[in-house]
Amino acid sequence: HVRYGPPFKGTYICSGSEDVASNEEFLKYKGKVDFIFTSPPYFSAEIYSDEPTQSSIKYKEYDSWRDNFLRPTLKTCAEWLGHDRLLAFNIADINVGSTQYPLEEDTVEILKEYGLRFECKLKMVLAISPSMRLKPQTMQPGMKNFCLINGKIRKYEPIFVFYKA
């Protein structure tokens, strides 16, 4: 609770990221944001409530979620980000049953469509590595996105960094 300098003054807008672009209060920031870091829900892997506004409840099929939630969210990021600025987007592929959903690839392709340039992929190492089972034949994890740290296999989540010229 220690603060230095003037008290924080902000505007809080309660809206889904797929809808916020039409908010009158939010419109005044279009093209003026210096940096964006976000981590949206990973389709049906992250459900924060049972409210009908939750993206995976609102859009139950992946294609619908991608086109009606992820794409508008990314479009808003691209349009609100100022020129010569960066966007960092934390998202990872997910498995639901035997189906893998390409959230990473879709995010990269959509942001390129909106004119952003892919810069790099950072690795945010998780404190706990869930589902860490090694394949007996290779002794490698049976999951995507892992790295070695001090000889230990650790799961990470990718953070994709994009630049807007």
Side-chain angles (χ1 to χ4, degrees):
H1 299 288
V2 176
R3 294 183 186 248
Y4 298 97
F8 173 75
K9 293 181 183 176
T11 302
Y12 296 93
I13 299 169
C14 187
S15 175
S17 61
E18 76 275 27
D19 300 321
V20 74
S22 62
N23 181 287
E24 193 173 309
E25 181 67 20
F26 190 66
L27 281 169
K28 67 184 177 186
Y29 302 106
K30 191 171 186 176
K32 298 178 182 178
V33 176
D34 289 330
F35 178 71
I36 297 171
F37 178 82
T38 187
S39 180
Y42 294 5
F43 180 44
S44 62
E46 295 182 336
I47 300 174
Y48 302 111
S49 79
D50 58 1
E51 295 178 19
T53 55
Q54 291 297 294
S55 66
S56 64
I57 294 172
K58 212 170 163 181
Y59 311 107
K60 295 183 186 318
E61 302 299 322
Y62 178 75
D63 290 348
S64 178
W65 179 87
R66 181 196 59 221
D67 296 341
N68 296 296
F69 173 77
L70 183 62
R71 185 175 293 279
T73 296
L74 295 170
K75 182 178 184 188
T76 299
C77 290
E79 290 180 352
W80 263 251
L81 191 64
H83 290 283
D84 198 28
R85 299 292 183 242
L86 295 173
L87 160 68
F89 207 86
N90 168 224
I91 198 160
D93 290 345
I94 62 165
N95 293 319
V96 178
S98 61
T99 304
Q100 185 176 53
Y101 294 98
L103 281 72
E104 296 174 31
E105 180 182 347
D106 286 347
T107 296
V108 170
E109 292 308 312
I110 292 167
L111 284 169
K112 286 179 179 179
E113 287 173 23
Y114 291 133
L116 276 68
R117 183 179 74 214
F118 175 73
E119 291 293 308
C120 66
K121 178 171 83 170
L122 304 174
K123 297 175 181 178
M124 181 173 62
V125 178
L126 301 179
I128 298 172
S129 294
S131 306
M132 186 60 73
R133 284 176 246 148
L134 300 180
K135 293 180 182 178
Q137 64 274 29
T138 62
M139 295 309 291
Q140 296 292 316
M143 65 181 173
K144 188 175 178 182
N145 297 336
F146 68 91
C147 58
L148 282 175
I149 297 178
N150 296 327
K152 293 183 180 182
I153 298 171
R154 299 290 302 274
K155 176 142 178 64
Y156 70 85
E157 288 197 354
I159 298 174
F160 296 91
V161 179
F162 286 82
Y163 173 78
K164 182 175 179 180

